[in-house]
Amino acid sequence: MTILLAATGMDIPVWTARLRDALPEIPVVVPGDIFDRRAVHYAVTWKHPPGSLAGLPHLEAIFSLGAGVDHILTDPKLPEVPILRVVDQDLTNRMSEYVVLHCLRVMRQAEVYRAQQAERLWRDDENQPAACDVRVGLLGLGVLGQDAARKLAVMGFDVAGWSRTPRIVEGITTFAGSEQLPAFLARTDILVCLLPLTDDTRGIIDARLLAGLARQGRWTGRLTGPHLINAGRGQLQVEADILAALDAGTLASATLDVFQSEPLPQDSPLWSHPKVTVTPHNAAVSEPNAVVGLIASQIRRHLAGELFQHVVDRSRGY
Ligand code: NDP
Ligand code: OXD
């Protein structure tokens, strides 16, 4: 029995070493090694080369090294075995840190004070809004969206979430389905996107969606709105529409961790736009020890005859 680690953009020696430490009884191979394809029972993947998982007759499961699985589902030769994604408290905490950080950064106008500092300008804004007057809306109320929503609520924000099917989350106003999207957007000052990339969500953050956001916050003073934070996937957003909305003043700022093309091309106008904050798709990194621990426990469960956890529903695409 062998594990095939087929990943690009990851530190392969580190992940291989962690897998070997966690499952010393199972050899780990990588594409390019000479190995018996019939021996491969598990594949551990991140953006694997399409087709590289075909021709593994005894493959029993494909693990994603991240929470998202769009990178797996695009493979036209994907074997019909369970796909398992990362659901891990370490990754979840990291994403919530990112969301809370940037919501606070927007609300407390960090960019304004940074600019004032550059000019040695001592100017106090007497009308800092209270968090309860700032309405945050989460697109996506799954594992990451719910945790971020709860932590934002602890900070005092007025939080709502939108999902495909109705969800009940204590202290959070919830909306579901395309028919409730306009009402959700209309009460949103800071839109946080934590959706998966699927056929239904591709390009969802477009001019129409941005035009539906709240135009007037419940605060007075210098804070303007609305604001966008996207840490889901880059192909959820239409970057030309975001830039147009920023330039038209219908969007006050965009904080983007993910991009239509990654790494963000050098000539992208997003890099230098004064209202855009760019982070390099690291809102919630997969920490090797945490994620390998999860994969090892899934494999041990499976070898003991138990069911896999966190299995992706291929028909939904997430
Ligand atoms: P989950 O599968 O737990 O949650 C997905 C949420 O999106 C659910 O609430 C789901 O609705 C909702 N959703 C899916 N499709 C639609 C739709 N068509 N309309 C409305 N809502 C929809 O995923 P996670 O929370 O674990 O992760 C979300 C995404 O975050 C990942 O897929 C990945 O792309 C991204 N991510 C980014 C990282 C980064 O570093 N930037 C790190 C980790 C993840 P319902 O509740 O009804 O199922
Ligand atoms: C993930 C990611 O999906 O890091 O986990 O993007």
Side-chain angles (χ1 to χ4, degrees), residues 46 66-70 85-87 91-92 95 98 139-146 162-167 176-178 193-201 204 230-233 236 257-258 281-286 316 318:
W46 184 257
V69 291
D70 47 293
R85 70 188 197 95
V86 172
V87 174
L91 185 144
T92 303
M95 182 58 85
Y98 184 91
L139 285 173
L141 259 191
V143 173
L144 302 182
Q146 288 194 28
W162 181 73
S163 49
R164 192 177 56 84
T165 56
R167 299 271 159 198
S178 47
C193 179
L194 290 176
L195 285 170
L197 178 65
T198 69
D199 290 344
D200 291 337
T201 61
I204 189 170
N230 183 15
R233 280 289 180 267
L236 298 167
D257 185 56
V258 287
H281 195 149
N282 68 350
V285 294
S286 292
R316 293 183 324 192
Y318 67 98

Side-chain angles (χ1 to χ4, degrees), residues 160-229:
W162 181 73
S163 49
R164 192 177 56 84
T165 56
R167 299 271 159 198
I168 297 171
V169 186
E170 201 186 332
I172 311 299
T173 309
T174 56
F175 298 81
S178 47
E179 57 296 340
Q180 292 185 7
L181 184 58
F184 163 81
L185 295 173
R187 56 84 66 215
T188 295
D189 301 312
I190 304 178
L191 181 70
V192 178
C193 179
L194 290 176
L195 285 170
L197 178 65
T198 69
D199 290 344
D200 291 337
T201 61
R202 188 178 303 275
I204 189 170
I205 306 172
D206 62 3
R208 192 156 155 243
L209 178 138
L210 296 173
L213 291 167
R215 299 260 78 83
Q216 182 54 58
R218 291 200 302 240
W219 57 78
T220 55
R222 281 194 284 173
L223 183 62
T224 54
H227 301 262
L228 168 68
I229 298 171

